[in-house]
Amino acid sequence: MTSPVCPKCDSTDATKSGVVNERQRFKCRACGYHYTVAKVGREVNPYYVVKALQLYIEGVSYREIERLLGVSHVSVMNWVKKYGVKAPRQLDYHPTYKILNQKELAEFFQKPENLKSAGLVVTELGDKYMMIRWERFRAG
């Protein structure tokens, strides 16, 4: 039997070190770190992790990401922390978003007034498209 990979140093040289909550613990011989084997559970598709992080960077809140993707806002917060993602401070711009199908998206782009005075990003979201638009706050 080969030992699982140490989450701290990626070594596979480990010894058994007891059982906690019916899960085998190991001690890494290289760095001395104690760890348990990974839980076998529901794995989130990496597509959703990437989409959640993209939306976070674009200024969409954790709760809005939860509603859009159907992934817990706590999971999104954990991914942001895990991957060290930092969203830039946005003082002058406010993002708004719409979920559109292909026909609605095509109609939106046919109107020139929709393409002025704002930044715009379109990203795939399952069988639809999410359009994120930034409009500058108007003083006064």
Side-chain angles (χ1 to χ4, degrees):
M1 179 189 138
T2 61
S3 299
V5 176
C6 173
K8 195 169 184 183
C9 72
D10 292 331
S11 171
T12 55
D13 187 20
T15 59
K16 289 185 177 182
S17 183
V19 176
V20 174
N21 293 330
E22 299 177 11
R23 291 174 53 201
Q24 179 66 56
R25 286 187 46 86
F26 293 90
K27 180 179 180 184
C28 178
R29 288 183 179 160
C31 68
Y33 185 70
H34 287 268
Y35 59 97
T36 57
V37 293
K39 275 193 219 178
V40 176
R42 196 183 97 156
E43 185 75 23
V44 176
N45 186 328
Y47 170 84
Y48 291 104
V49 176
V50 170
K51 284 295 174 195
L53 294 174
Q54 285 176 337
L55 293 172
Y56 174 75
I57 288 172
E58 300 303 337
V60 179
S61 74
Y62 292 128
R63 297 267 183 184
E64 288 174 296
I65 295 169
E66 176 180 44
R67 284 189 282 277
L68 290 167
L69 299 180
V71 177
S72 164
H73 67 278
V74 176
S75 294
V76 177
M77 285 189 281
N78 290 335
W79 297 332
V80 166
K81 216 183 290 183
K82 177 179 179 180
Y83 296 108
V85 174
K86 299 229 186 287
R89 287 188 54 194
Q90 298 173 349
L91 301 175
D92 295 339
Y93 293 92
H94 176 67
T96 57
Y97 62 90
K98 290 182 183 178
I99 307 297
L100 306 169
N101 64 32
Q102 187 174 2
K103 181 182 175 196
E104 294 167 331
L105 188 64
E107 289 170 0
F108 179 86
F109 280 115
Q110 288 176 349
K111 298 177 185 171
E113 64 270 15
N114 288 338
L115 305 176
K116 294 180 181 170
S117 302
L120 187 67
V121 169
V122 176
T123 184
E124 174 194 13
L125 193 61
D127 62 343
K128 299 202 186 246
Y129 299 91
M130 174 184 276
M131 181 180 65
I132 303 171
R133 182 180 168 104
W134 296 268
E135 295 196 35
R136 187 177 283 272
F137 285 130
R138 304 211 194 287

